[in-house]
Amino acid sequence: MTGPPLTWRGRWVVASAIFLVNHINAAALSDEINMASVDYSKVSIEEKPLYTPPLEEVAEVLSEGLRKTFEFVNVTVEDCPDLTREPFDLTTPGLSGDSKLVELGGPPYLTPQVRRDKVYDLAALLRHLGRDPALLAGAGAGPWPHLGVNCEGIINLSVREGAVTQGTRVVSVTPPGAAKGQASYLQRRLPPGETRTALLGNYLLSEGRPGRVLKVVVEKRIGPSNFITAIRETLKERYGDRAVGLGGAFLLAAGKVKHHVMPDFSASPLCSDEDVDRWLHYFEMTAPIVHLGTLVTGDLGLDLRVQHFHGYSAHGDGGHYHYDTTPLEVRYEGYFTLASSVIRVDRPLETHGVGRD
Protein backbone atom coordinates (compact mmCIF):
# COMPACT_ATOMS: atom_id res chain seq x y z
CA MET A 1 0.00 0.00 0.00
CA THR A 2 1.34 3.45 -0.89
CA GLY A 3 0.38 6.84 0.46
CA PRO A 4 -0.34 10.06 -1.41
CA PRO A 5 2.51 11.73 -3.34
CA LEU A 6 4.82 13.85 -1.23
CA THR A 7 4.47 17.59 -1.48
CA TRP A 8 7.53 19.65 -2.34
CA ARG A 9 7.88 20.39 1.37
CA GLY A 10 7.74 16.68 2.21
CA ARG A 11 10.31 15.88 -0.46
CA TRP A 12 12.56 18.60 0.97
CA VAL A 13 12.29 17.13 4.47
CA VAL A 14 13.13 13.62 3.22
CA ALA A 15 16.04 14.86 1.12
CA SER A 16 17.36 16.89 4.04
CA ALA A 17 17.15 13.88 6.33
CA ILE A 18 19.01 11.69 3.83
CA PHE A 19 21.69 14.36 3.41
CA LEU A 20 22.07 14.67 7.18
CA VAL A 21 22.41 10.90 7.67
CA ASN A 22 24.96 10.64 4.87
CA HIS A 23 26.86 13.61 6.25
CA ILE A 24 26.95 12.07 9.73
CA ASN A 25 28.10 8.70 8.33
CA ALA A 26 30.78 10.36 6.22
CA ALA A 27 31.94 12.38 9.20
CA ALA A 28 32.09 9.26 11.35
CA LEU A 29 34.09 7.43 8.68
CA SER A 30 36.42 10.41 8.34
CA ASP A 31 36.91 10.45 12.12
CA GLU A 32 37.86 6.76 12.02
CA ILE A 33 40.26 7.19 9.11
CA ASN A 34 41.89 10.20 10.78
CA MET A 35 41.77 8.77 14.31
CA ALA A 36 44.55 10.13 16.49
CA SER A 37 47.27 7.69 17.44
CA VAL A 38 48.35 6.97 21.00
CA ASP A 39 50.65 9.62 22.48
CA TYR A 40 53.70 7.67 23.65
CA SER A 41 54.57 10.31 26.22
CA LYS A 42 51.31 9.46 28.01
CA VAL A 43 51.55 5.66 28.17
CA SER A 44 53.86 3.34 30.06
CA ILE A 45 57.10 2.21 28.43
CA GLU A 46 59.11 -0.36 30.37
CA GLU A 47 62.32 -2.17 29.45
CA LYS A 48 63.87 -5.25 31.01
CA PRO A 49 67.01 -7.18 30.01
CA LEU A 50 67.00 -10.63 28.44
CA TYR A 51 69.66 -13.30 28.80
CA THR A 52 71.87 -13.49 25.71
CA PRO A 53 73.93 -16.68 25.55
CA PRO A 54 76.47 -17.04 22.73
CA LEU A 55 74.88 -17.77 19.36
CA GLU A 56 77.04 -20.87 18.95
CA GLU A 57 75.73 -22.23 22.25
CA VAL A 58 72.13 -21.57 21.25
CA ALA A 59 72.75 -23.36 17.95
CA GLU A 60 73.99 -26.43 19.84
CA VAL A 61 71.00 -26.35 22.20
CA LEU A 62 68.53 -26.17 19.32
CA SER A 63 70.39 -28.77 17.27
CA GLU A 64 69.84 -31.27 20.05
CA GLY A 65 66.43 -30.21 21.33
CA LEU A 66 64.59 -29.85 18.03
CA ARG A 67 65.22 -33.51 17.19
CA LYS A 68 62.33 -34.34 19.50
CA THR A 69 60.01 -32.56 17.07
CA PHE A 70 61.59 -32.86 13.61
CA GLU A 71 63.26 -35.76 11.83
CA PHE A 72 65.79 -33.52 10.05
CA VAL A 73 67.44 -30.66 11.98
CA ASN A 74 70.30 -28.38 10.95
CA VAL A 75 71.07 -25.32 13.10
CA THR A 76 74.07 -23.14 12.32
CA VAL A 77 75.42 -19.65 12.94
CA GLU A 78 75.88 -17.88 9.62
CA ASP A 79 76.03 -14.48 7.98
CA CYS A 80 72.46 -13.38 7.34
CA PRO A 81 71.44 -13.62 3.69
CA ASP A 82 70.09 -10.50 2.02
CA LEU A 83 66.52 -10.54 3.32
CA THR A 84 65.43 -7.78 0.95
CA ARG A 85 65.41 -10.46 -1.76
CA GLU A 86 62.51 -12.79 -2.47
CA PRO A 87 60.86 -14.59 -0.87
CA PHE A 88 61.51 -12.60 2.34
CA ASP A 89 61.18 -9.12 0.85
CA LEU A 90 62.11 -7.31 4.08
CA THR A 91 62.83 -3.59 4.05
CA THR A 92 66.38 -4.11 5.38
CA PRO A 93 69.02 -6.67 4.39
CA GLY A 94 69.61 -8.04 7.90
CA LEU A 95 68.30 -8.40 11.44
CA SER A 96 71.28 -7.20 13.47
CA GLY A 97 72.26 -4.07 15.38
CA ASP A 98 71.06 -3.33 18.93
CA SER A 99 68.34 -5.96 18.66
CA LYS A 100 65.43 -5.83 21.10
CA LEU A 101 61.89 -7.16 21.34
CA VAL A 102 58.92 -4.80 21.47
CA GLU A 103 55.47 -5.71 22.73
CA LEU A 104 52.80 -3.12 22.05
CA GLY A 105 49.40 -3.14 23.76
CA GLY A 106 48.04 -6.64 24.12
CA PRO A 107 45.09 -9.02 23.82
CA PRO A 108 43.17 -7.20 26.61
CA TYR A 109 42.71 -4.36 24.11
CA LEU A 110 40.93 -6.78 21.75
CA THR A 111 38.97 -8.96 24.18
CA PRO A 112 36.51 -9.09 25.79
CA GLN A 113 35.62 -5.81 24.03
CA VAL A 114 37.73 -3.89 21.56
CA ARG A 115 39.51 -0.66 22.50
CA ARG A 116 39.23 1.26 19.25
CA ASP A 117 41.25 4.11 20.71
CA LYS A 118 44.37 1.91 20.79
CA VAL A 119 45.82 2.99 17.45
CA TYR A 120 49.61 3.23 17.30
CA ASP A 121 51.87 5.01 14.81
CA LEU A 122 54.96 2.82 14.47
CA ALA A 123 57.09 5.49 12.81
CA ALA A 124 56.27 7.78 15.74
CA LEU A 125 57.23 4.98 18.14
CA LEU A 126 60.66 4.69 16.54
CA ARG A 127 61.13 8.45 16.82
CA HIS A 128 60.06 8.34 20.47
CA LEU A 129 62.57 5.57 21.18
CA GLY A 130 65.29 7.43 19.30
CA ARG A 131 65.85 4.57 16.85
CA ASP A 132 67.24 5.51 13.43
CA PRO A 133 68.29 3.47 11.52
CA ALA A 134 65.71 0.92 12.55
CA LEU A 135 63.83 -2.15 11.43
CA LEU A 136 60.52 -3.08 13.04
CA ALA A 137 59.29 -6.50 11.95
CA GLY A 138 56.75 -8.87 13.44
CA ALA A 139 53.14 -9.79 14.10
CA GLY A 140 50.15 -7.81 15.29
CA ALA A 141 46.80 -6.37 14.39
CA GLY A 142 46.72 -4.16 11.32
CA PRO A 143 45.46 -0.57 11.11
CA TRP A 144 41.69 -1.01 11.09
CA PRO A 145 41.10 2.74 10.48
CA HIS A 146 42.92 2.39 7.14
CA LEU A 147 40.85 -0.56 5.87
CA GLY A 148 37.68 0.24 7.77
CA VAL A 149 37.70 -3.30 9.23
CA ASN A 150 39.79 -5.33 11.64
CA CYS A 151 42.73 -7.16 10.06
CA GLU A 152 45.97 -9.05 10.63
CA GLY A 153 49.23 -7.12 10.31
CA ILE A 154 52.59 -8.46 9.16
CA ILE A 155 54.80 -5.55 10.15
CA ASN A 156 57.83 -4.82 7.96
CA LEU A 157 58.84 -1.19 8.36
CA SER A 158 62.21 0.52 8.45
CA VAL A 159 63.56 4.03 8.96
CA ARG A 160 66.83 5.50 7.77
CA GLU A 161 67.73 9.17 8.21
CA GLY A 162 64.08 9.92 8.90
CA ALA A 163 62.79 8.30 5.71
CA VAL A 164 60.28 5.46 6.18
CA THR A 165 60.21 2.36 3.97
CA GLN A 166 56.91 0.55 4.34
CA GLY A 167 56.70 -3.14 3.48
CA THR A 168 53.87 -4.12 5.83
CA ARG A 169 51.12 -6.42 4.59
CA VAL A 170 47.63 -6.74 6.03
CA VAL A 171 45.20 -9.62 5.64
CA SER A 172 41.46 -9.25 6.12
CA VAL A 173 38.40 -11.44 5.78
CA THR A 174 36.54 -10.93 2.52
CA PRO A 175 33.83 -10.09 1.88
CA PRO A 176 33.55 -8.14 5.15
CA GLY A 177 30.89 -9.61 7.38
CA ALA A 178 30.86 -13.00 5.65
CA ALA A 179 29.84 -15.94 7.81
CA LYS A 180 32.51 -18.27 9.10
CA GLY A 181 33.12 -21.01 6.55
CA GLN A 182 31.79 -18.85 3.71
CA ALA A 183 34.56 -16.25 3.58
CA SER A 184 37.95 -15.91 1.97
CA TYR A 185 40.84 -13.56 2.73
CA LEU A 186 42.64 -10.73 1.00
CA GLN A 187 46.27 -9.71 1.45
CA ARG A 188 47.32 -6.14 0.70
CA ARG A 189 50.44 -4.03 1.11
CA LEU A 190 50.09 -0.80 3.04
CA PRO A 191 50.82 2.44 1.19
CA PRO A 192 54.04 4.30 2.09
CA GLY A 193 52.29 6.93 4.21
CA GLU A 194 50.31 4.50 6.38
CA THR A 195 52.48 3.63 9.39
CA ARG A 196 49.78 2.85 11.94
CA THR A 197 48.81 -0.37 13.63
CA ALA A 198 46.30 -1.13 16.38
CA LEU A 199 45.57 -2.98 19.60
CA LEU A 200 48.57 -5.31 19.93
CA GLY A 201 51.85 -6.33 18.38
CA ASN A 202 55.09 -8.25 18.90
CA TYR A 203 58.07 -6.99 16.94
CA LEU A 204 61.79 -7.35 16.50
CA LEU A 205 63.47 -3.95 16.74
CA SER A 206 66.98 -3.67 15.33
CA GLU A 207 69.10 -1.60 12.98
CA GLY A 208 68.41 -4.08 10.17
CA ARG A 209 72.08 -4.57 9.44
CA PRO A 210 73.76 -7.70 8.05
CA GLY A 211 75.34 -9.83 10.76
CA ARG A 212 75.62 -13.27 12.30
CA VAL A 213 72.30 -15.02 12.86
CA LEU A 214 70.89 -18.38 13.80
CA LYS A 215 69.86 -20.36 10.73
CA VAL A 216 67.38 -23.09 11.62
CA VAL A 217 66.34 -25.63 8.99
CA VAL A 218 64.01 -28.49 9.91
CA GLU A 219 61.95 -31.02 7.98
CA LYS A 220 59.29 -33.66 8.67
CA ARG A 221 57.56 -32.92 11.96
CA ILE A 222 57.38 -35.96 14.27
CA GLY A 223 56.35 -34.22 17.51
CA PRO A 224 53.23 -32.33 18.63
CA SER A 225 54.66 -28.79 18.82
CA ASN A 226 54.73 -26.28 15.99
CA PHE A 227 58.04 -24.85 14.74
CA ILE A 228 58.11 -21.80 17.01
CA THR A 229 56.80 -23.60 20.09
CA ALA A 230 59.48 -26.27 19.64
CA ILE A 231 62.21 -23.60 19.56
CA ARG A 232 60.79 -21.77 22.59
CA GLU A 233 60.30 -24.92 24.66
CA THR A 234 63.81 -26.12 23.85
CA LEU A 235 65.31 -22.82 25.00
CA LYS A 236 63.11 -22.76 28.09
CA GLU A 237 64.22 -26.26 29.06
CA ARG A 238 67.89 -25.26 28.80
CA TYR A 239 67.87 -21.75 30.27
CA GLY A 240 65.04 -21.96 32.80
CA ASP A 241 64.36 -18.67 34.58
CA ARG A 242 66.93 -16.83 32.46
CA ALA A 243 64.55 -15.45 29.84
CA VAL A 244 65.82 -15.64 26.26
CA GLY A 245 64.20 -13.76 23.38
CA LEU A 246 64.47 -14.25 19.63
CA GLY A 247 63.09 -12.32 16.70
CA GLY A 248 63.29 -12.83 12.99
CA ALA A 249 61.81 -14.49 9.95
CA PHE A 250 61.07 -18.02 8.88
CA LEU A 251 60.00 -19.46 5.57
CA LEU A 252 57.52 -22.27 5.22
CA ALA A 253 59.35 -23.71 2.22
CA ALA A 254 57.20 -26.81 1.74
CA GLY A 255 53.89 -28.07 3.04
CA LYS A 256 50.73 -26.41 4.31
CA VAL A 257 49.82 -24.53 7.49
CA LYS A 258 46.78 -23.52 9.48
CA HIS A 259 46.41 -19.75 9.79
CA HIS A 260 43.65 -17.62 11.19
CA VAL A 261 42.46 -14.25 9.94
CA MET A 262 40.50 -12.01 12.29
CA PRO A 263 37.12 -10.84 10.99
CA ASP A 264 35.76 -7.44 11.90
CA PHE A 265 35.35 -6.71 15.60
CA SER A 266 32.83 -8.86 17.43
CA ALA A 267 29.50 -7.26 18.32
CA SER A 268 29.35 -9.39 21.47
CA PRO A 269 32.03 -9.75 24.16
CA LEU A 270 34.71 -12.41 23.67
CA CYS A 271 35.11 -13.70 27.21
CA SER A 272 36.89 -17.02 26.69
CA ASP A 273 39.20 -18.83 24.29
CA GLU A 274 36.13 -20.70 23.07
CA ASP A 275 34.47 -17.39 22.18
CA VAL A 276 37.60 -16.28 20.34
CA ASP A 277 37.82 -19.60 18.49
CA ARG A 278 34.22 -19.28 17.29
CA TRP A 279 34.89 -15.72 16.12
CA LEU A 280 38.14 -16.33 14.20
CA HIS A 281 38.22 -17.55 10.59
CA TYR A 282 40.62 -20.44 9.94
CA PHE A 283 42.22 -21.38 6.63
CA GLU A 284 44.73 -23.91 5.33
CA MET A 285 47.46 -22.12 3.38
CA THR A 286 50.22 -23.31 1.08
CA ALA A 287 53.99 -22.75 0.92
CA PRO A 288 55.98 -20.68 0.29
CA ILE A 289 54.95 -18.32 3.11
CA VAL A 290 57.29 -15.96 5.01
CA HIS A 291 56.55 -15.40 8.71
CA LEU A 292 57.77 -12.55 10.94
CA GLY A 293 57.61 -12.36 14.71
CA THR A 294 59.13 -12.97 18.12
CA LEU A 295 59.37 -15.49 20.92
CA VAL A 296 60.45 -15.18 24.54
CA THR A 297 60.91 -17.87 27.18
CA GLY A 298 59.77 -15.83 30.19
CA ASP A 299 57.21 -13.20 31.15
CA LEU A 300 59.52 -10.93 33.20
CA GLY A 301 56.46 -9.57 34.99
CA LEU A 302 55.51 -7.62 31.85
CA ASP A 303 52.43 -9.61 30.76
CA LEU A 304 54.17 -10.77 27.59
CA ARG A 305 52.84 -12.83 24.73
CA VAL A 306 55.47 -15.56 24.59
CA GLN A 307 55.28 -16.20 20.84
CA HIS A 308 53.59 -14.53 17.91
CA PHE A 309 54.28 -14.92 14.17
CA HIS A 310 52.31 -13.77 11.13
CA GLY A 311 52.87 -14.76 7.51
CA TYR A 312 52.59 -13.30 4.02
CA SER A 313 53.30 -14.56 0.52
CA ALA A 314 53.62 -13.56 -3.11
CA HIS A 315 50.55 -15.68 -3.94
CA GLY A 316 48.29 -14.00 -1.38
CA ASP A 317 48.26 -16.52 1.47
CA GLY A 318 48.86 -15.05 4.91
CA GLY A 319 47.65 -14.61 8.46
CA HIS A 320 48.39 -15.72 12.02
CA TYR A 321 50.54 -18.87 12.16
CA HIS A 322 49.25 -21.83 14.18
CA TYR A 323 50.90 -25.05 12.93
CA ASP A 324 51.64 -27.07 9.83
CA THR A 325 48.96 -29.46 8.61
CA THR A 326 51.23 -31.67 6.47
CA PRO A 327 53.90 -32.82 8.94
CA LEU A 328 55.50 -35.35 6.60
CA GLU A 329 56.01 -32.72 3.89
CA VAL A 330 56.89 -29.66 5.92
CA ARG A 331 60.18 -27.78 5.64
CA TYR A 332 61.02 -24.64 7.61
CA GLU A 333 63.97 -22.32 7.09
CA GLY A 334 64.38 -19.61 9.73
CA TYR A 335 66.76 -16.73 10.48
CA PHE A 336 66.76 -15.37 14.02
CA THR A 337 68.71 -12.94 16.17
CA LEU A 338 68.97 -12.79 19.95
CA ALA A 339 67.42 -9.78 21.67
CA SER A 340 69.19 -8.00 24.52
CA SER A 341 66.00 -6.69 26.13
CA VAL A 342 62.25 -6.38 25.77
CA ILE A 343 60.49 -3.02 25.57
CA ARG A 344 56.91 -3.12 26.84
CA VAL A 345 54.74 -0.31 25.47
CA ASP A 346 51.30 0.57 26.85
CA ARG A 347 50.90 -2.57 28.96
CA PRO A 348 47.19 -3.08 29.79
CA LEU A 349 46.38 -2.29 33.41
CA GLU A 350 43.76 -5.05 33.50
CA THR A 351 44.82 -8.31 31.91
CA HIS A 352 43.73 -11.88 31.23
CA GLY A 353 44.92 -14.98 29.41
CA VAL A 354 42.33 -15.03 26.62
CA GLY A 355 43.30 -14.91 22.94
CA ARG A 356 47.02 -15.58 23.21
CA ASP A 357 47.40 -18.66 21.00
Side-chain angles (χ1 to χ4, degrees):
M1 181 176 179
T2 59
L6 289 174
T7 65
W8 70 268
R9 188 180 300 276
R11 290 194 297 270
W12 181 86
V13 170
V14 171
S16 297
I18 292 173
F19 172 81
L20 181 60
V21 169
N22 288 339
H23 180 74
I24 291 172
N25 289 341
L29 179 60
S30 177
D31 287 345
E32 288 188 352
I33 292 172
N34 298 306
M35 176 173 286
S37 299
V38 166
D39 182 344
Y40 294 112
S41 68
K42 297 180 180 179
V43 298
S44 63
I45 298 182
E46 308 158 86
E47 184 170 359
K48 290 190 178 182
L50 293 165
Y51 180 59
T52 53
L55 276 178
E56 291 76 10
E57 179 182 302
V58 175
E60 292 178 4
V61 170
L62 293 178
S63 292
E64 180 179 349
L66 291 179
R67 297 187 189 281
K68 300 175 184 177
T69 307
F70 296 94
E71 187 171 280
F72 173 84
V73 176
N74 186 37
V75 184
T76 54
V77 178
E78 300 187 8
D79 290 333
C80 189
D82 185 353
L83 297 178
T84 63
R85 297 181 177 178
E86 294 182 353
F88 291 95
D89 198 26
L90 288 188
T91 56
T92 62
L95 304 172
S96 300
D98 195 14
S99 300
K100 302 182 178 185
L101 304 186
V102 174
E103 178 152 355
L104 188 67
Y109 292 155
L110 176 63
T111 63
Q113 293 182 308
V114 64
R115 288 283 304 274
R116 291 177 184 265
D117 59 313
K118 294 301 183 179
V119 175
Y120 304 95
D121 187 322
L122 295 180
L125 175 62
L126 294 176
R127 290 194 297 270
H128 186 81
L129 296 175
R131 296 297 299 258
D132 185 347
L135 165 70
L136 205 59
W144 67 264
H146 174 73
L147 291 187
V149 294
N150 188 28
C151 57
E152 306 288 345
I154 307 94
I155 307 304
N156 173 16
L157 178 149
S158 62
V159 174
R160 181 170 293 275
E161 296 181 351
V164 176
T165 302
Q166 178 61 285
T168 295
R169 276 80 165 176
V170 293
V171 184
S172 58
V173 168
T174 187
K180 189 169 182 174
Q182 300 179 18
S184 185
Y185 49 89
L186 178 63
Q187 176 185 281
R188 286 167 276 191
R189 186 166 180 157
L190 290 182
E194 180 56 85
T195 58
R196 294 174 298 175
T197 186
L199 305 175
L200 56 91
N202 298 87
Y203 317 125
L204 169 68
L205 169 61
S206 77
E207 295 174 352
R209 301 184 189 278
R212 303 289 278 176
V213 294
L214 286 166
K215 180 180 180 180
V216 183
V217 178
V218 297
E219 297 177 9
K220 192 176 180 181
R221 182 168 57 83
I222 55 175
S225 297
N226 71 29
F227 179 50
I228 295 302
T229 300
I231 292 175
R232 181 177 56 80
E233 290 176 340
T234 298
L235 295 175
K236 177 67 175 178
E237 182 178 351
R238 172 60 182 269
Y239 296 111
D241 292 336
R242 296 174 293 176
V244 175
L246 296 180
F250 75 83
L251 171 68
L252 175 77
K256 297 181 179 182
V257 289
K258 178 181 179 180
H259 277 194
H260 80 236
V261 178
M262 293 187 294
D264 205 4
F265 301 122
S266 176
S268 57
L270 302 174
C271 299
S272 66
D273 284 331
E274 291 74 20
D275 290 343
V276 173
D277 186 66
R278 285 189 290 268
W279 170 66
L280 292 172
H281 290 233
Y282 293 96
F283 303 95
E284 186 177 61
M285 302 189 184
T286 303
I289 304 175
V290 173
H291 299 78
L292 306 178
T294 66
L295 68 89
V296 64
T297 64
D299 179 77
L300 300 176
L302 294 176
D303 191 27
L304 299 177
R305 192 168 189 168
V306 294
Q307 62 187 61
H308 196 188
F309 277 77
H310 284 183
Y312 61 95
S313 67
H315 57 278
D317 281 359
H320 174 108
Y321 170 75
H322 283 270
Y323 52 81
D324 58 82
T325 57
T326 55
L328 299 183
E329 303 171 15
V330 73
R331 174 183 167 88
Y332 293 103
E333 178 183 322
Y335 298 92
F336 304 99
T337 187
L338 286 168
S340 63
S341 66
V342 57
I343 301 172
R344 189 68 172 94
V345 180
D346 197 18
R347 175 159 58 108
L349 296 178
E350 297 182 5
T351 191
H352 55 66
V354 175
R356 296 177 185 248
D357 186 6

